[in-house]
């Protein structure tokens, strides 16, 4: 171990955060595109909303499932290399999409390839970057990178929706390909795996330490970590509440708000604008959540986040009927809480399982999140086909969030470690 100092106006870790921020922003924006493609695909190909939702459900599930393994892959092969490969695969998948003519092709390109490609650049990437590059300000970094993923999912929708309406969905896809290629170049030029590569100590310390090589099998190690976690009650509580988190965010609102607005005569571009507004407020809310998680009890933060989100979702069916003003209020209030749950959840997982395992543990918690999102994406589409509107799915999501708020209070502090309360 050596102790060195670098005279620099800014730690290079913040450059890495910026590159990761942009990558997650664009990757998430691409992943959200099916919400604006749903109506055009219904018209052009005659596919039902339930069938299209099924493809989104597969993508969401694989996006989450790859998370624990991506933590191991990132540790073994390096952040930069894996990001470049994932972006290249995503660009290839997008380039082929405009040529598709059958549902199975959409399932392969978006359900499988895009799901796996974006999954390698999921929230686990943010946890890995924060653990490698930061000793201090970890909560803030995780908040920023989590916000970028959620904000990107919403921010680009108005532009892509306008391109889709004015020029066609194929042009919107090609625009997305261009954005991915630009990000790929940025990553190749400026991303670094570890502070040691540039002769620096992690932010918050002066110790320049060579990274420890990943030990174990990239497939078996995450599974063994899961087996160990399954015996821990805190893991079940975190995974359970995150299941409800996914059920109430990207699986439901991210996928179905635009079609729901269409059912009430609200144009696609305006509906996409509401999602973009959510994204902007999420950037504030989730970053603030990271700052708060460095200072306050994460359990209490989660209690308020889930409770307030539940109330906003119970309000949504009334807002859709009331008109634009009520939807604007919903978008602002819900956006602040869109995925503010991530920083305190990461904090609880890190305290319970330690820095070395926190990436893979959180990856498995995200699997639960995406299972919930997958169930909501598919289930809400089916219920819309059966019932003719989205009232029941929105109300159900509101109630499960209120239940999640109660669940997090079953987690208690004990001598600085987070352990589950005895049931």
């Amino acid at each position: 171990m050596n102790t060195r100092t670098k005279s620099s106006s800014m730690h290079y870790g913040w450059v890495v955060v910026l590159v990761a921020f942009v990558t997650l922003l664009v990757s998430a924006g691409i992943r959200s595109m099916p919400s604006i493609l749903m109506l055009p695909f219904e018209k052009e190909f005659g596919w039902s909303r339930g069938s299209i939702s099924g493809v989104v459900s597969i993508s969401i599930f694989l996006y989450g499932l790859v998370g624990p393994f991506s933590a191991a892959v990132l540790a073994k092969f390096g952040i930069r290399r894996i990001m470049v490969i994932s972006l290249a695969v995503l660009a290839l998948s997008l380039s082929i999409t405009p040529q598709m003519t059958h549902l199975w092709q959409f399932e392969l390109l978006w359900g499988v390839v895009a799901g796996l490609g974006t999954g390698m650049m999921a929230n686990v990437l943010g946890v890995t970057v924060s653990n490698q590059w930061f000793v201090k300000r970890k909560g803030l970094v995780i908040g920023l990178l989590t916000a970028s993923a959620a904000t990107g999912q919403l921010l680009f929708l108005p532009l892509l929706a306008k391109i889709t309406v004015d020029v066609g969905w194929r042009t919107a896809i090609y625009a997305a390909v261009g954005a991915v290629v630009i990000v790929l170049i940025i990553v190749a030029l400026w991303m670094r795996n570890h502070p040691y590569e540039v002769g620096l100590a992690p932010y918050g310390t002066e110790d320049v330490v060579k990274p420890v090589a990943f030990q174990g099998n990239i497939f078996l190690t995450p599974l063994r970590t899961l087996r160990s976690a399954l015996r821990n009650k805190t893991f079940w509580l975190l995974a359970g509440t995150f299941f409800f988190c996914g059920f109430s965010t990207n699986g439901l609102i991210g996928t179905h708000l635009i079609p729901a607005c269409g059912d009430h005569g609200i144009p696609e571009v305006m509906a996409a604008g509401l999602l973009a507004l959510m994204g902007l407020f999420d950037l504030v809310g989730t970053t603030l959540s990271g700052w708060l998680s460095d200072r306050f009890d994460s359990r209490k933060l989660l209690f308020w986040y889930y409770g307030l989100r539940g109330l906003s979702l119970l309000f949504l069916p009334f807002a859709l009927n009331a008109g634009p003003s009520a939807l604007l209020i919903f978008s602002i209030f819900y956006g602040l809480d869109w995925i503010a749950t991530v920083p305190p959840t990461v904090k609880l997982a890190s305290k319970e399982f330690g820095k070395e395992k926190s990436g893979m543990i959180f990856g498995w918690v995200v699997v639960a999140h995406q299972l919930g999102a997958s169930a909501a994406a598919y289930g809400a589409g089916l219920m819309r086909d059966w019932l003719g509107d989205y009232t029941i799915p929105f109300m159900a999501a509101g109630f499960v969030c209120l239940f999640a708020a109660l669940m997090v209070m079953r987690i208690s502090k004990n001598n600085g470690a987070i352990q589950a309360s005895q049931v």
Side-chain angles (χ1 to χ4, degrees), residues 16-38:
V16 171
V17 169
L18 179 60
V19 174
F21 183 95
V22 173
T23 303
L24 290 170
L25 192 78
V26 173
S27 172
I30 302 302
R31 194 174 68 252
S32 69
M33 286 190 70
S35 64
I36 62 174
L37 299 176
M38 195 171 291

Side-chain angles (χ1 to χ4, degrees), residues 225-239:
T225 302
L226 174 63
R227 183 177 63 182
S228 174
L230 290 175
R231 296 193 291 267
N232 187 300
K233 292 181 181 178
T234 297
F235 174 79
W236 284 103
L237 289 168
L238 292 176

